[in-house]
Amino acid sequence: MIPIQLTLEGLYSYQERQKIDFENLTEAGLFGIFGSVWLGKSSILEAISFALYG
């Protein structure tokens, strides 16, 4: 599974509504979540897990 787009709000680092568009990376055949410490990478993965499994 490769996500296309994710919208999240009220989850840890993302208290305000954020839309993350993964299409540019997926069109290039790449996928990754990169960033420095404390920028919310784990929150993105948790939001994806929640979207899939409730």
Side-chain angles (χ1 to χ4, degrees):
M1 181 215 57
I2 298 175
I4 306 280
Q5 176 185 11
L6 178 67
T7 304
L8 60 151
E9 178 180 10
L11 183 69
Y12 307 116
S13 302
Y14 301 96
Q15 291 301 307
E16 301 205 8
R17 182 168 287 210
Q18 299 288 320
K19 179 180 171 185
I20 303 170
D21 185 10
F22 296 105
E23 281 195 79
N24 291 336
L25 291 173
T26 57
E27 287 175 0
L30 301 170
F31 182 78
I33 299 173
F34 304 96
S36 297
V37 176
W38 299 105
L39 290 181
K41 298 175 299 295
S42 297
S43 300
I44 293 170
L45 296 174
E46 189 165 338
I48 292 170
S49 295
F50 183 75
L52 290 173
Y53 305 109

